[in-house]
């Protein structure tokens, strides 16, 4: 018997191009909505709204919702859903081409997996973003959140301003069509107060880029190209890092320790440091200053 020929429809081609895997499991929908942690005052932008399966429960949790879906084949279904929901707007445009709101907002969505990196970049660049709760491929979510015990360059670069975490897993059977891998709920939250002063962020990012640059084969070797060996070694000890530690195994918190120590004011910028002496306020021989010695009051 000759194999039956299957006809590829416009709907099939659209799904393939747009990487659409619609979320159909009610439990998975509820898990994603719960992870978003919305309040009745929040403005939410939904990315990849599809036919509105996620739109309806999101609308009950937030104040206003803008549902983005560029696929014209599902636009009528989504428009019908949005028409029945107060304070919900349907926009059949490319989310990535949209301008971020001037007010604080959240981003939530079962996003097209082929556009994950672009959607994440859009979110990170939006000044008003409070949090993004995105259903991505599980491996992407694990990589960005350090779930493997390794940390990506993007996560470390943005850590002073954004907190990344894996907020849940969604089995592949919760989607239609069924993808080849499971999904992961990635939560990216903008910190209310950055972990570093804004003026220090460019220098921090340069240090991270240097560390991930691979010079010398280790983080220590890379940092020594810009800082004195003794200073780098002291910072590594303070951060409890072995000099041979691969850069991907360095925690974001350890990067912050390294930055604060390596970019502190160097008291000896043009020459070798003097020998450490616990009694430097005393005489040159190391004798401790007496109570009447005026050098005790030179601070």
């Amino acid at each position: 018997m000759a194999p039956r020929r299957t006809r590829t429809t416009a709907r099939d081609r659209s799904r393939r191009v747009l990487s659409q895997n619609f979320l159909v499991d009610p439990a998975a929908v509820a898990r994603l909505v719960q992870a978003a942690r919305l309040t009745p005052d929040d403005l939410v932008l939904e990315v990849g709204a599809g036919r509105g399966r996620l739109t309806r429960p999101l609308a009950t949790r937030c104040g206003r919702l803008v549902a983005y879906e560029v696929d014209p084949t599902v636009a009528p279904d989504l428009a019908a859903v949005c028409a029945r929901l107060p304070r919900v707007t349907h926009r059949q445009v490319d989310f990535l081409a949209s301008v971020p709101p001037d007010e604080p907002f959240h981003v939530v969505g079962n996003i097209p997996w082929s556009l994950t990196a672009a959607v994440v970049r859009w979110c990170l660049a939006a000044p008003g973003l409070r949090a993004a709760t995105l259903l991505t491929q599980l491996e992407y979510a694990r990589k960005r959140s350090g779930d493997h015990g390794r940390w990506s360059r993007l996560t470390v670069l943005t850590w002073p301003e954004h907190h990344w975490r894996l907020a849940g897993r969604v089995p592949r059977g919760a989607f239609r069509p069924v993808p080849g891998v499971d999904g992961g709920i990635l939560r990216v939250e903008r910190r209310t107060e950055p972990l570093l002063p804004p003026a220090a962020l460019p220098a921090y990012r340069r240090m991270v880029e240097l560390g991930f640059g691979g010079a010398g084969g280790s983080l220590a070797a890379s940092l020594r190209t810009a800082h004195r060996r003794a200073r780098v070694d002291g910072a590594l000890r303070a951060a409890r890092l072995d000099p041979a530690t691969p850069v991907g195994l360095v925690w974001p918190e350890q990067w912050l320790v390294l930055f604060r120590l390596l970019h502190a004011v160097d008291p000896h910028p043009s020459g070798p440091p003097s020998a450490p002496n616990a009694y430097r306020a005393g005489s040159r021989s190391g004798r401790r200053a007496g109570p009447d010695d005026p050098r005790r009051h030179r601070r």
Side-chain angles (χ1 to χ4, degrees):
M1 178 182 297
R4 185 176 63 178
R5 296 180 60 186
T6 58
R7 178 177 297 177
T8 302
T9 66
R11 180 177 174 185
D12 295 331
R13 291 192 296 272
S14 176
R15 284 181 174 180
R16 185 173 302 172
V17 170
L18 298 174
S19 301
Q20 288 180 304
N21 298 98
F22 298 119
L23 193 60
V24 298
D25 179 24
V29 171
R31 197 176 311 142
L32 181 56
V33 172
Q34 183 179 12
R37 299 166 59 184
L38 301 174
T39 72
D41 297 326
D42 289 332
L43 167 63
V44 177
L45 311 185
E46 183 189 359
V47 189
R51 291 185 172 83
R53 182 67 67 96
L54 183 61
T55 307
R56 284 185 287 263
L58 284 177
T60 65
R61 297 290 189 96
C62 65
R64 289 171 293 149
L65 176 69
V66 182
Y68 287 86
E69 178 53 67
V70 72
D71 185 359
T73 64
V74 300
D77 293 339
L78 180 60
V81 169
C82 294
R84 296 191 295 267
L85 298 171
R87 302 182 302 279
V88 175
T89 303
H90 167 222
R91 291 185 182 171
Q92 189 182 333
V93 297
D94 182 5
F95 170 78
L96 295 174
S98 65
V99 178
D102 294 330
E103 59 187 297
F105 66 95
H106 293 248
V107 172
V108 184
N110 171 30
I111 63 177
W113 287 355
S114 65
L115 299 178
T116 299
V119 172
V120 169
R121 284 196 301 270
W122 188 100
C123 292
L124 293 174
L129 179 80
R130 284 184 173 173
T133 307
L134 308 173
L135 183 49
T136 71
Q137 288 186 349
L138 177 59
E139 284 306 302
Y140 182 91
R142 296 190 69 187
K143 177 182 178 181
R144 294 297 182 220
S145 61
D147 192 58
H148 284 299
R150 301 184 65 90
W151 298 89
S152 72
R153 182 197 308 245
L154 179 62
T155 305
V156 176
L157 277 171
T158 59
W159 192 260
E161 295 181 284
H162 297 86
H163 180 259
W164 301 68
R165 68 183 180 91
L166 178 63
R169 304 185 183 195
V170 176
R172 57 194 292 268
F175 300 91
R176 293 294 182 274
V178 179
V181 297
D182 292 340
I185 301 175
L186 178 65
R187 174 88 172 166
V188 185
E189 303 173 10
R190 183 182 294 276
R191 303 183 190 278
T192 55
E193 290 291 336
L195 301 179
L196 292 173
L201 292 174
Y204 170 82
R205 296 184 189 116
R206 288 193 296 270
M207 187 195 77
V208 173
E209 293 286 4
L210 175 66
F212 275 90
S218 68
L219 173 60
S222 297
L223 295 178
R224 287 169 187 153
T225 64
H227 303 276
R228 292 181 301 169
R229 184 185 186 96
R231 191 161 187 173
V232 170
D233 292 348
L236 291 171
R237 286 193 299 270
R240 300 189 177 184
L241 280 169
D242 187 286
T245 302
V247 66
L249 298 182
V250 180
W251 304 342
E253 294 84 359
Q254 292 173 314
W255 281 99
L256 292 171
V257 172
L258 292 174
F259 176 77
R260 291 182 178 117
L261 293 175
L262 292 176
H263 288 261
V265 177
D266 191 339
H268 306 282
S270 58
S274 59
N277 193 319
Y279 305 112
R280 230 181 277 169
S283 68
R284 293 179 182 273
S285 62
R287 178 181 56 84
R288 187 171 184 174
D292 299 324
D293 194 319
R295 284 173 293 185
R296 291 179 59 89
H297 308 288
R298 289 180 182 174
R299 297 182 181 178

